[in-house]
C-alpha cells in the first residue's frame, strides 16, 4: 500500500502488524491519535484510562496474561506512570510490552520539555527513537520482539515532529509471523517485588543490561552511513533528517536504540574523524555518554541549543558554528515587529468562560490545572494564578488555603483531570478540614486533546455507550457536605453560589455542568447581536474574551457565524444591548 | 530540487484539511511528500501552519527560512506572520480577509500594505465573498485549492482524486464543484 500517514498512525499500524492485542493510554498531545488509529483495528482491545499509571499497569497486566500490549502517553504522563515503570523494569514482561511516549520539544502544547531518554536510562529499559513515520512503524514492530527476547518493557520515544508529521510510506497490512499469544504467567519470584525477590530481580536486570549492551553495538538500528566529507555526525530522531538534508555528504552514526548506548560503535566511528558533532534535541544525552567514555573529539551542545525544538535553521546555524558548513539558506525578510500575537483562546460559547468571568469579578485567588481551561489565565479573563501539572489545582489550593487563612482560594479542575489525579487531594482536603472551594468544570469530555471520552462521558473510545461515573455522588461519598451543581449558562445563579461558597469557611465542591461546545457534537444555537443604538461603548462584553465579539467605531459587534448563542455577553451587558437573533442590518 | 509550501491560517478554519488534500494530490502526481503540522493549543483559534515538502526524495519535514516556494494563506495577518520563510521568488495565494484577535486592534490597511511591500508574486482574493456568491461557505479552502493548483502547476486531476480520497462521501461532490470554481477563476 502507498499512503501518506502520520507517525502516530504508523505506530498504530506497527502495533497491529506485531499482533498487539491490548492498548490503553491517557490522551495527551502529541500522543493522543495513536489510540484513535488503534481503535480501527478489530483485533486490538483499546480503551482510555483515567491516568497514565492506570493505563501502564493495565497493559503490563495484559502482557503478563500473555498478550502483546502497549500503552501511550505524552512525556509528562510518564511522570505519573514513573512508579510503575521503575518496577516493571525489575519484573520484566511475559508477552511483548511497549511504552509509547511522545515528547514535545518546543512545548507546542505542554508545561515542560523533559527528555524521556533520561527516564529510560534511569529505569534501565531500552528506548527506541524513530526519525519519521516509516521508521516509527518498523521500530514499533521491533519493540515487541525486543521486549520479549530480553524480558523487558521497551520505550518507543516519539516527538511532536515524528507523531504529527505525515509522509509517504509503502507498507502492507499483513501481520508478521512468529508472535503467538502466551499463557498467563504465574511466577511469584518474578512478579512479586518483595525485597527478597526484588534483590534477585535487580541482579537479573543487570545481567540483562550486559546482554543489551552487546546488542546495541550490533543492531542495525544503530548504523553508520559513510559519506565523502571528513565530518562525523552522531544523531538521533528528527535531528538526523535535518542534518541529512543539510550535509548529505557527511558521515553519520544514526542512533535508533539510544539506551543502552552503543558506546563501542561510537568509539569506532569517532576515531575516523578529527571532529565529531552530536546533534540531538533537548538534553545532551548522547554527548554525555560519549564524554563519560572519554571520547575526546566530540562536541554537541556547544553548537546547538538545549531547549526548544530543532528545525533546519537551527541545525544549519549549529553546523556553521562548528565550521563544517557554510550557511546556504538566506533569510530575505523579517516578520514585521509588533504584529499582534494570535494566542489560543477559549472557544465561542465555551462553558468555562462564565466561571472565569465570575472568578475574575470576585477577585479570588485561583489555582488552575491542565486542560482547555488553562486558557482562563490569558487576558482579558486573567483569572488563573497557578498551573503546574495534572491534579495540582486541588492540592495547591489546599496548601495555599492552609498557609494563607485570609485569602479566598478557589481551585478549578476539569472532569477528566479530576478523575486523573484530582480526587486524591480532595480526599486529603476533606479529612484535614481544609476550607476552600473546588470547582469541577464538567464538560464531560477530555477537550484539550481533541475530545476523547472519559469516565463521565457515557461512551467509550469506539463511541459505544458506556457506564458513567456520577461526579456528584462520587464527591458526596467522600463525606463532603457542601456540594452544588450549577448550570454556568445560568450566570446569575452560578455567580450567587460561587460567591456564597467563597465566603463560607468550609470545604465545598461546585460542579459546573455544561458539555463542551465542540465534542462529541458541535453545539450551535441561534446567534446574538448588538443593538448598535443601545451600546454605550463600556466594553464590558469585550472583557469576557469571546472570539465572536469584535469592536469597531466605538461599538461592539458579534460575528454571526462564530457565535454559538451561549448568551454570556447578553448577561454581562449593562444596557441589555445584546439580544438573541440575527441582526437585520 | 525539492519544493515546499506553507499553509497558514487560524485554528479551526480548515488549513489542515487543505494541506492534507494537497499532500495526497502531490503523492498522486508521483512525488515523495512530507508534511508537518502542529496540533494542540493552536486548534483553539490560535495561529496554525502546516508545511509540505515534495520532490524526488525528501529528508526534512521542514523547509528553512527564506526557502519556501509557495504560500497558501487563509488570512492576511497569518500570511504576514510567516514572511520570513519566503524569498523574492515565492508565489503567494492569500485569502483577502482578517480574523479578529481578542484584545487586539488590527490595522487592516497597514497589514495589506506591508504584505504587498515584499514585492512578491501575490494573489490577494476574497474567497469568502466568492464562496458566498456560490453558496459554498463550507468549502472556501477548496475553492482556494482550485486556484492554487494552477499556481503550483499540478494537474487538477490529481486534486480531484485527492478530494475523493480525503473527504467523506457526502462532501465529495460539493468540494469538487468548489474546486472547479477556483480553478476557473481568472
Ligand atoms: S457590554 Fe453592551 S454596552 Fe458595553 S460595549 Fe458591550 S454591547 Fe456595548
Ligand atoms: S452569545 Fe455572546 S458570548 Fe456567547 S458565543 Fe455568542 S458572542 Fe460569544
Amino acid at each position: 500500500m502507498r499512503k501518506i500517514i502520520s507517525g502516530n498512525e504508523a505506530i498504530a499500524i506497527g502495533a497491529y502488524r506485531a499482533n498487539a492485542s491490548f492498548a490503553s493510554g491517557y490522551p495527551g498531545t502529541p500522543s493522543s491519535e495513536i489510540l484513535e488509529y488503534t481503535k480501527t483495528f478489530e483485533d486490538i482491545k483499546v480503551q482510555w484510562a483515567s491516568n497514565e499509571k492506570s493505563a501502564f499497569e493495565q497493559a503490563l497486566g495484559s502482557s503478563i496474561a500473555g498478550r502483546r500490549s502497549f500503552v501511550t502517553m505524552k512525556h509528562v504522563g510518564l511522570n505519573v506512570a514513573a512508579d510503575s515503570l521503575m518496577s516493571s523494569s525489575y519484573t520484566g514482561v511475559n508477552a511483548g510490552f511497549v511504552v509509547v511516549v511522545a515528547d514535545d520539544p518546543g512545548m507546542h502544547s505542554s508545561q515542560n520539555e523533559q527528555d524521556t531518554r533520561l527516564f529510560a536510562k534511569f529505569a534501565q529499559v531500552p528506548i527506541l527513537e524513530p526519525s519519521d513515520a516509516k521508521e516509527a512503524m518498523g521500530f514499533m514492530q521491533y519493540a515487541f520482539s525486543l521486549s520479549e527476547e530480553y524480558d523487558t518493557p521497551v520505550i518507543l520515544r516519539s516527538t511532536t515532529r515524528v507523531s504529527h508529521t505525515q509522509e509517504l510510506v509503502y507498507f502492507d497490512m499483513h501481520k508478521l509471523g512468529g508472535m503467538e499469544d502466551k499463557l498467563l504467567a504465574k511466577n511469584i519470584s518474578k512478579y512479586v517485588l518483595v525485597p527478597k525477590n526484588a534483590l534477585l530481580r535487580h541482579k537479573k536486570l543487570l545481567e540483562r543490561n550486559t546482554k543489551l549492551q552487546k546488542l546495541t553495538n550490533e543492531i542495525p538500528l544503530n548504523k553508520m552511513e559513510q559519506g565523502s566529507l571528513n565530518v562525523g555526525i552522531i544523531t538521533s530522531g528528527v535531528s538526523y533528517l535535518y542534518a541529512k538534508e543539510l550535509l548529505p555528504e557527511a558521515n553519520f552514526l544514526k542512533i535508533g536504540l539510544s539506551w543502552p548506548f552503543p558506546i563501542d560503535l561510537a568509539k569506532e566511528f569517532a576515531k575516523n574523524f578529527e571532529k565529531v558533532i552530536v546533534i540531538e534535541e533537548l538534553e545532551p544525552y548522547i554527548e554525555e555518554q560519549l564524554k563519560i567514555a572519554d571520547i575526546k573529539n566530540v562536541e554537541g551542545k556547544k553548537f546547538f541549543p538545549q531547549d526548544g525544538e530543532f528545525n533546519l535553521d537551527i541545525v544549519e546555524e549549529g553546523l556553521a558554528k562548528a565550521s563544517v558548513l557554510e550557511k546556504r539558506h538566506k533569510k530575505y525578510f523579517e516578520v514585521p515587529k509588533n504584529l499582534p500575537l494570535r494566542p489560543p483562546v477559549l472557544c465561542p460559547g465555551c462553558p468555562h468562560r462564565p466561571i472565569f468571568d465570575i472568578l475574575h469579578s470576585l477577585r479570588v485567588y485561583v489555582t488552575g490545572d491542565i486542560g482547555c481551561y488553562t486558557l482562563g489565565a490569558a487576558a482579558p479573563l486573567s483569572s488563573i494564578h497557578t498551573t503546574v501539572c495534572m491534579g495540582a489545582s486541588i492540592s495547591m489550593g489546599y496548601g495555599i488555603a492552609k498557609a494563607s487563612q485570609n485569602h479566598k482560594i478557589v481551585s478549578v479542575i476539569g472532569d477528566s483531570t479530576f478523575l486523573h489525579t484530582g480526587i486524591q487531594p480532595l480526599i486529603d482536603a476533606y479529612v484535614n478540614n481544609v476550607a476552600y472551594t473546588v470547582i469541577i468544570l464538567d464538560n464531560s469530555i477530555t477537550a484539550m486533546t481533541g475530545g476523547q471520552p472519559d469516565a463521565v462521558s457515557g461512551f467509550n473510545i469506539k463511541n459505544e455507550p458506556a457506564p458513567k461515573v456520577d461526579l456528584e455522588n462520587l464527591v458526596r461519598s467522600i463525606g463532603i457536605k457542601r456540594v452544588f451543581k450549577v448550570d454556568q449558562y445560568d450566570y446569575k445563579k452560578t455567580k450567587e453560589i460561587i460567591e456564597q461558597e467563597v465566603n463560607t469557611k468550609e470545604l465545598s465542591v461546585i460542579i459546573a455542568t455544561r458539555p463542551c461546545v465542540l465534542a462529541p457534537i458541535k453545539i450551535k444555537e441561534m446567534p446574538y447581536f448588538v443593538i448598535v443604538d443601545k451600546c454605550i461603548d463600556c466594553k464590558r462584553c469585550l472583557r469576557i474574551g469571546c472570539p465572536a465579539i469584535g469592536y469597531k467605531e466605538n461599538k461592539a459587534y458579534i460575528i454571526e457565524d462564530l457565535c454559538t448563542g451561549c448568551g454570556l455577553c447578553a448577561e454581562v451587558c449593562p444596557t441589555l444591548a445584546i439580544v438573541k437573533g440575527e441582526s437585520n442590518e | 530540487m525539492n519544493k515546499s509550501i506553507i499553509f497558514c491560517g487560524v485554528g479551526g478554519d480548515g488549513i489542515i484539511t487543505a494541506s492534507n488534500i494537497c499532500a495526497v494530490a502531490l503523492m498522486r502526481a508521483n512525488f515523495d511528500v512530507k508534511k508537518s503540522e502542529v496540533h494542540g493549543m493552536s486548534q483553539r483559534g490560535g495561529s496554525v501552519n502546516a508545511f509540505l515538502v515534495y520532490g524526488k526524495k525528501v529528508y526534512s519535514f521542514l523547509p528553512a527560512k527564506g526557502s519556501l516556494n509557495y504560500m497558501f494563506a487563509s488570512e492576511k495577518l497569518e500570511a504576514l506572520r510567516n514572511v520570513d520563510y519566503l524569498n523574492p521568488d515565492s508565489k503567494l495565494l492569500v485569502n483577502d480577509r482578517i480574523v479578529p484577535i481578542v484584545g487586539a486592534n488590527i490595522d487592516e490597511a497597514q497589514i495589506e500594505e506591508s504584505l504587498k511591500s515584499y514585492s512578491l508574486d501575490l494573489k490577494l482574493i476574497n474567497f469568502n465573498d466568492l464562496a458566498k456568491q456560490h453558496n459554498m461557505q463550507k468549502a472556501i479552502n477548496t475553492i482556494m485549492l482550485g486556484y492554487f493548483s494552477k499556481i503550483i502547476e499540478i494537474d487538477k486531476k490529481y486534486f480531484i482524486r485527492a478530494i475523493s480520497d480525503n473527504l467523506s462521501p457526502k462532501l465529495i461532490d460539493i468540494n469538487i464543484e468548489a474546486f472547479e470554481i477556483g480553478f476557473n477563476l481568472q
Side-chain angles (χ1 to χ4, degrees), chain A residues 119-163:
Chain A
F119 249 125
K121 180 168 176 260
F122 189 15
Q124 306 180 60
V125 299
I127 183 167
L128 301 171
E129 281 191 82
S131 297
D132 55 25
K134 183 165 167 267
E135 281 191 357
M137 187 184 300
F139 282 26
M140 187 65 181
Q141 284 160 203
Y142 178 65
F144 284 100
S145 44
L146 181 65
S147 166
E148 271 164 26
E149 199 176 330
Y150 289 84
D151 191 11
T152 175
V154 172
I155 300 177
L156 183 105
R157 180 210 191 203
S158 179
T159 56
T160 303
R161 207 51 71 179
V162 174
S163 278

Short mmCIF file of all heavy atoms in Angstrom, two decimals, chain A residues 119-163:
data_model
loop_
_atom_site.label_atom_id
_atom_site.label_comp_id
_atom_site.label_asym_id
_atom_site.label_seq_id
_atom_site.Cartn_x
_atom_site.Cartn_y
_atom_site.Cartn_z
N PHE A 119 14.71 9.10 31.31
CA PHE A 119 13.89 8.14 32.06
C PHE A 119 14.29 6.70 31.71
O PHE A 119 14.32 5.82 32.56
CB PHE A 119 12.41 8.33 31.72
CG PHE A 119 11.61 8.89 32.87
CD1 PHE A 119 10.87 10.04 32.73
CD2 PHE A 119 11.62 8.24 34.10
CE1 PHE A 119 10.13 10.55 33.79
CE2 PHE A 119 10.89 8.74 35.17
CZ PHE A 119 10.15 9.91 35.01
N ALA A 120 14.58 6.48 30.44
CA ALA A 120 14.97 5.14 30.02
C ALA A 120 16.26 4.72 30.72
O ALA A 120 16.39 3.60 31.22
CB ALA A 120 15.17 5.11 28.50
N LYS A 121 17.18 5.66 30.81
CA LYS A 121 18.46 5.38 31.47
C LYS A 121 18.22 5.13 32.96
O LYS A 121 18.77 4.21 33.55
CB LYS A 121 19.36 6.60 31.26
CG LYS A 121 20.72 6.49 31.88
CD LYS A 121 21.62 7.61 31.36
CE LYS A 121 22.96 7.59 32.05
NZ LYS A 121 23.05 8.57 33.13
N PHE A 122 17.38 5.97 33.54
CA PHE A 122 17.05 5.88 34.96
C PHE A 122 16.41 4.52 35.28
O PHE A 122 16.81 3.82 36.21
CB PHE A 122 16.06 7.03 35.24
CG PHE A 122 15.72 7.28 36.69
CD1 PHE A 122 16.47 6.75 37.73
CD2 PHE A 122 14.64 8.10 37.01
CE1 PHE A 122 16.15 7.01 39.05
CE2 PHE A 122 14.30 8.36 38.33
CZ PHE A 122 15.06 7.82 39.35
N ALA A 123 15.44 4.12 34.45
CA ALA A 123 14.74 2.86 34.70
C ALA A 123 15.48 1.67 34.12
O ALA A 123 15.12 0.52 34.38
CB ALA A 123 13.33 2.93 34.12
N GLN A 124 16.50 1.94 33.31
CA GLN A 124 17.27 0.89 32.64
C GLN A 124 16.41 0.01 31.75
O GLN A 124 16.41 -1.21 31.84
CB GLN A 124 18.04 0.04 33.67
CG GLN A 124 18.91 0.93 34.57
CD GLN A 124 19.69 0.14 35.59
OE1 GLN A 124 20.48 -0.72 35.24
NE2 GLN A 124 19.46 0.43 36.85
N VAL A 125 15.66 0.68 30.90
CA VAL A 125 14.90 -0.05 29.89
C VAL A 125 15.27 0.49 28.51
O VAL A 125 15.56 1.67 28.37
CB VAL A 125 13.36 0.06 30.09
CG1 VAL A 125 12.95 -0.51 31.43
CG2 VAL A 125 12.89 1.49 29.96
N PRO A 126 15.29 -0.39 27.50
CA PRO A 126 15.68 0.05 26.16
C PRO A 126 14.72 1.12 25.63
O PRO A 126 13.52 1.08 25.91
CB PRO A 126 15.57 -1.22 25.31
CG PRO A 126 15.47 -2.34 26.26
CD PRO A 126 14.99 -1.82 27.56
N ILE A 127 15.28 2.05 24.86
CA ILE A 127 14.44 3.09 24.25
C ILE A 127 14.79 3.22 22.77
O ILE A 127 15.96 3.26 22.40
CB ILE A 127 14.57 4.44 25.00
CG1 ILE A 127 13.63 5.49 24.40
CG2 ILE A 127 16.00 4.96 25.00
CD1 ILE A 127 13.47 6.74 25.25
N LEU A 128 13.75 3.24 21.96
CA LEU A 128 13.92 3.35 20.51
C LEU A 128 13.49 4.74 20.07
O LEU A 128 12.49 5.25 20.55
CB LEU A 128 13.06 2.31 19.80
CG LEU A 128 13.33 0.85 20.16
CD1 LEU A 128 12.27 -0.06 19.54
CD2 LEU A 128 14.71 0.43 19.67
N GLU A 129 14.25 5.32 19.15
CA GLU A 129 13.95 6.69 18.69
C GLU A 129 13.80 6.74 17.18
O GLU A 129 14.78 6.97 16.47
CB GLU A 129 15.11 7.61 19.06
CG GLU A 129 15.17 8.08 20.46
CD GLU A 129 16.21 9.20 20.58
OE1 GLU A 129 15.89 10.35 20.27
OE2 GLU A 129 17.36 8.90 20.95
N PRO A 130 12.58 6.57 16.66
CA PRO A 130 12.40 6.70 15.22
C PRO A 130 12.55 8.15 14.76
O PRO A 130 12.29 9.08 15.53
CB PRO A 130 10.96 6.21 14.99
CG PRO A 130 10.27 6.38 16.30
CD PRO A 130 11.33 6.25 17.36
N SER A 131 12.94 8.32 13.49
CA SER A 131 13.09 9.67 12.93
C SER A 131 11.87 10.13 12.16
O SER A 131 11.67 11.31 11.96
CB SER A 131 14.28 9.72 11.97
OG SER A 131 15.47 9.44 12.63
N ASP A 132 11.09 9.19 11.66
CA ASP A 132 9.94 9.57 10.85
C ASP A 132 8.89 8.48 10.92
O ASP A 132 9.05 7.49 11.64
CB ASP A 132 10.37 9.85 9.40
CG ASP A 132 11.10 8.69 8.76
OD1 ASP A 132 10.90 7.52 9.20
OD2 ASP A 132 11.87 8.91 7.81
N ALA A 133 7.82 8.64 10.15
CA ALA A 133 6.69 7.71 10.24
C ALA A 133 7.09 6.30 9.81
O ALA A 133 6.71 5.31 10.44
CB ALA A 133 5.54 8.22 9.38
N LYS A 134 7.87 6.22 8.75
CA LYS A 134 8.24 4.91 8.23
C LYS A 134 9.02 4.14 9.30
O LYS A 134 8.75 2.97 9.57
CB LYS A 134 9.11 5.11 6.99
CG LYS A 134 9.52 3.85 6.32
CD LYS A 134 10.04 4.17 4.92
CE LYS A 134 10.76 2.97 4.34
NZ LYS A 134 12.21 2.99 4.59
N GLU A 135 9.96 4.82 9.92
CA GLU A 135 10.72 4.17 10.98
C GLU A 135 9.85 3.86 12.18
O GLU A 135 10.02 2.84 12.84
CB GLU A 135 11.89 5.06 11.41
CG GLU A 135 13.05 5.01 10.46
CD GLU A 135 14.31 5.67 11.01
OE1 GLU A 135 14.28 6.24 12.12
OE2 GLU A 135 15.32 5.62 10.31
N ALA A 136 8.92 4.75 12.48
CA ALA A 136 8.06 4.54 13.65
C ALA A 136 7.32 3.21 13.53
O ALA A 136 7.18 2.46 14.49
CB ALA A 136 7.07 5.69 13.80
N MET A 137 6.88 2.91 12.31
CA MET A 137 6.16 1.65 12.09
C MET A 137 7.08 0.45 12.34
O MET A 137 6.76 -0.46 13.10
CB MET A 137 5.62 1.61 10.66
CG MET A 137 4.72 0.43 10.39
SD MET A 137 4.19 0.35 8.67
CE MET A 137 3.36 1.89 8.49
N GLY A 138 8.25 0.49 11.74
CA GLY A 138 9.20 -0.62 11.89
C GLY A 138 9.70 -0.75 13.32
O GLY A 138 9.80 -1.86 13.86
N PHE A 139 10.01 0.37 13.95
CA PHE A 139 10.54 0.34 15.32
C PHE A 139 9.49 -0.23 16.28
O PHE A 139 9.80 -0.93 17.22
CB PHE A 139 10.94 1.75 15.77
CG PHE A 139 12.26 2.23 15.22
CD1 PHE A 139 12.77 1.74 14.02
CD2 PHE A 139 13.01 3.19 15.89
CE1 PHE A 139 13.98 2.20 13.50
CE2 PHE A 139 14.22 3.65 15.40
CZ PHE A 139 14.71 3.17 14.20
N MET A 140 8.22 0.13 16.04
CA MET A 140 7.15 -0.35 16.91
C MET A 140 7.07 -1.88 16.80
O MET A 140 6.95 -2.58 17.80
CB MET A 140 5.83 0.30 16.50
CG MET A 140 4.67 0.01 17.43
SD MET A 140 4.91 0.71 19.08
CE MET A 140 3.42 0.17 19.89
N GLN A 141 7.16 -2.37 15.58
CA GLN A 141 7.12 -3.83 15.39
C GLN A 141 8.28 -4.48 16.12
O GLN A 141 8.12 -5.45 16.84
CB GLN A 141 7.23 -4.15 13.89
CG GLN A 141 5.94 -3.90 13.15
CD GLN A 141 6.13 -3.73 11.65
OE1 GLN A 141 5.30 -3.13 11.01
NE2 GLN A 141 7.21 -4.23 11.09
N TYR A 142 9.45 -3.89 15.94
CA TYR A 142 10.64 -4.47 16.56
C TYR A 142 10.58 -4.39 18.09
O TYR A 142 11.05 -5.29 18.78
CB TYR A 142 11.89 -3.75 16.04
CG TYR A 142 13.15 -4.26 16.67
CD1 TYR A 142 13.57 -5.57 16.45
CD2 TYR A 142 13.89 -3.46 17.54
CE1 TYR A 142 14.71 -6.06 17.07
CE2 TYR A 142 15.01 -3.94 18.17
CZ TYR A 142 15.42 -5.24 17.93
OH TYR A 142 16.53 -5.74 18.55
N ALA A 143 9.97 -3.32 18.60
CA ALA A 143 9.92 -3.12 20.05
C ALA A 143 9.29 -4.32 20.76
O ALA A 143 9.74 -4.72 21.84
CB ALA A 143 9.13 -1.85 20.37
N PHE A 144 8.26 -4.91 20.15
CA PHE A 144 7.61 -6.05 20.79
C PHE A 144 8.54 -7.26 20.88
O PHE A 144 8.60 -7.93 21.91
CB PHE A 144 6.32 -6.42 20.04
CG PHE A 144 5.18 -5.49 20.32
CD1 PHE A 144 4.85 -4.49 19.42
CD2 PHE A 144 4.44 -5.59 21.49
CE1 PHE A 144 3.81 -3.62 19.68
CE2 PHE A 144 3.40 -4.73 21.75
CZ PHE A 144 3.08 -3.73 20.84
N SER A 145 9.27 -7.51 19.80
CA SER A 145 10.13 -8.70 19.89
C SER A 145 11.32 -8.44 20.80
O SER A 145 11.76 -9.33 21.53
CB SER A 145 10.56 -9.19 18.51
OG SER A 145 10.94 -8.13 17.71
N LEU A 146 11.81 -7.20 20.78
CA LEU A 146 12.90 -6.86 21.70
C LEU A 146 12.44 -7.06 23.15
O LEU A 146 13.16 -7.62 23.99
CB LEU A 146 13.30 -5.39 21.48
CG LEU A 146 14.44 -4.82 22.33
CD1 LEU A 146 15.75 -5.53 22.01
CD2 LEU A 146 14.61 -3.32 22.09
N SER A 147 11.23 -6.63 23.43
CA SER A 147 10.67 -6.76 24.76
C SER A 147 10.60 -8.22 25.19
O SER A 147 10.98 -8.59 26.31
CB SER A 147 9.28 -6.13 24.79
OG SER A 147 8.58 -6.51 25.94
N GLU A 148 10.15 -9.07 24.27
CA GLU A 148 10.04 -10.49 24.61
C GLU A 148 11.39 -11.15 24.75
O GLU A 148 11.65 -11.90 25.69
CB GLU A 148 9.22 -11.21 23.53
CG GLU A 148 7.74 -11.18 23.85
CD GLU A 148 6.86 -11.54 22.66
OE1 GLU A 148 7.31 -12.26 21.75
OE2 GLU A 148 5.70 -11.07 22.65
N GLU A 149 12.27 -10.86 23.82
CA GLU A 149 13.56 -11.54 23.82
C GLU A 149 14.38 -11.21 25.06
O GLU A 149 15.07 -12.05 25.61
CB GLU A 149 14.32 -11.14 22.56
CG GLU A 149 15.43 -12.10 22.22
CD GLU A 149 16.09 -11.73 20.91
OE1 GLU A 149 15.39 -11.16 20.03
OE2 GLU A 149 17.29 -11.99 20.78
N TYR A 150 14.29 -9.96 25.50
CA TYR A 150 15.11 -9.54 26.64
C TYR A 150 14.29 -9.40 27.92
O TYR A 150 14.79 -8.90 28.92
CB TYR A 150 15.86 -8.25 26.30
CG TYR A 150 16.95 -8.50 25.29
CD1 TYR A 150 16.66 -8.54 23.93
CD2 TYR A 150 18.26 -8.76 25.70
CE1 TYR A 150 17.64 -8.81 23.00
CE2 TYR A 150 19.26 -9.04 24.77
CZ TYR A 150 18.93 -9.06 23.42
OH TYR A 150 19.92 -9.34 22.51
N ASP A 151 13.05 -9.78 27.87
CA ASP A 151 12.18 -9.77 29.04
C ASP A 151 12.17 -8.39 29.73
O ASP A 151 12.45 -8.27 30.92
CB ASP A 151 12.63 -10.86 30.03
CG ASP A 151 11.61 -11.08 31.14
OD1 ASP A 151 10.49 -10.54 31.04
OD2 ASP A 151 11.95 -11.78 32.12
N THR A 152 11.84 -7.38 28.95
CA THR A 152 11.87 -6.03 29.50
C THR A 152 10.80 -5.16 28.84
O THR A 152 10.47 -5.37 27.68
CB THR A 152 13.25 -5.37 29.24
OG1 THR A 152 13.21 -4.01 29.69
CG2 THR A 152 13.62 -5.37 27.77
N PRO A 153 10.26 -4.18 29.58
CA PRO A 153 9.46 -3.17 28.88
C PRO A 153 10.38 -2.43 27.91
O PRO A 153 11.57 -2.28 28.19
CB PRO A 153 9.02 -2.22 30.00
CG PRO A 153 9.37 -2.87 31.28
CD PRO A 153 10.42 -3.89 31.01
N VAL A 154 9.83 -1.96 26.82
CA VAL A 154 10.62 -1.17 25.87
C VAL A 154 9.90 0.16 25.65
O VAL A 154 8.68 0.18 25.47
CB VAL A 154 10.77 -1.92 24.52
CG1 VAL A 154 11.40 -1.03 23.47
CG2 VAL A 154 11.57 -3.19 24.71
N ILE A 155 10.65 1.25 25.69
CA ILE A 155 10.03 2.56 25.42
C ILE A 155 10.23 2.90 23.95
O ILE A 155 11.33 2.75 23.41
CB ILE A 155 10.65 3.67 26.29
CG1 ILE A 155 10.45 3.36 27.78
CG2 ILE A 155 10.03 5.03 25.96
CD1 ILE A 155 11.09 4.37 28.72
N LEU A 156 9.17 3.33 23.31
CA LEU A 156 9.29 3.92 21.98
C LEU A 156 9.09 5.41 22.16
O LEU A 156 8.03 5.85 22.58
CB LEU A 156 8.25 3.35 21.02
CG LEU A 156 8.41 3.88 19.60
CD1 LEU A 156 9.03 2.82 18.70
CD2 LEU A 156 7.10 4.33 19.02
N ARG A 157 10.14 6.18 21.86
CA ARG A 157 10.04 7.63 22.05
C ARG A 157 9.75 8.32 20.73
O ARG A 157 10.54 8.26 19.79
CB ARG A 157 11.34 8.18 22.62
CG ARG A 157 11.32 9.69 22.84
CD ARG A 157 12.69 10.31 22.69
NE ARG A 157 12.71 11.70 23.15
CZ ARG A 157 13.61 12.59 22.75
NH1 ARG A 157 14.56 12.25 21.90
NH2 ARG A 157 13.57 13.83 23.19
N SER A 158 8.59 8.97 20.70
CA SER A 158 8.30 9.81 19.55
C SER A 158 8.52 11.25 19.99
O SER A 158 8.76 11.52 21.16
CB SER A 158 6.85 9.58 19.12
OG SER A 158 6.53 10.39 18.02
N THR A 159 8.44 12.18 19.06
CA THR A 159 8.40 13.60 19.41
C THR A 159 7.28 14.22 18.58
O THR A 159 6.80 13.58 17.65
CB THR A 159 9.72 14.33 19.08
OG1 THR A 159 10.00 14.14 17.70
CG2 THR A 159 10.89 13.81 19.91
N THR A 160 6.90 15.44 18.90
CA THR A 160 5.80 16.09 18.16
C THR A 160 6.02 15.98 16.66
O THR A 160 5.11 15.67 15.90
CB THR A 160 5.72 17.57 18.55
OG1 THR A 160 5.55 17.63 19.95
CG2 THR A 160 4.56 18.25 17.86
N ARG A 161 7.24 16.22 16.24
CA ARG A 161 7.52 16.26 14.81
C ARG A 161 7.40 14.87 14.17
O ARG A 161 7.09 14.75 13.00
CB ARG A 161 8.92 16.87 14.61
CG ARG A 161 9.16 17.57 13.31
CD ARG A 161 8.14 18.60 12.91
NE ARG A 161 8.16 19.80 13.68
CZ ARG A 161 7.34 20.84 13.46
NH1 ARG A 161 6.43 20.80 12.50
NH2 ARG A 161 7.41 21.90 14.22
N VAL A 162 7.68 13.82 14.93
CA VAL A 162 7.50 12.47 14.38
C VAL A 162 6.02 12.08 14.43
O VAL A 162 5.45 11.59 13.46
CB VAL A 162 8.35 11.44 15.17
CG1 VAL A 162 8.06 10.03 14.70
CG2 VAL A 162 9.83 11.75 15.04
N SER A 163 5.37 12.37 15.55
CA SER A 163 3.97 11.97 15.73
C SER A 163 3.05 12.66 14.74
O SER A 163 2.13 12.06 14.21
CB SER A 163 3.51 12.34 17.14
OG SER A 163 3.92 11.35 18.05
#
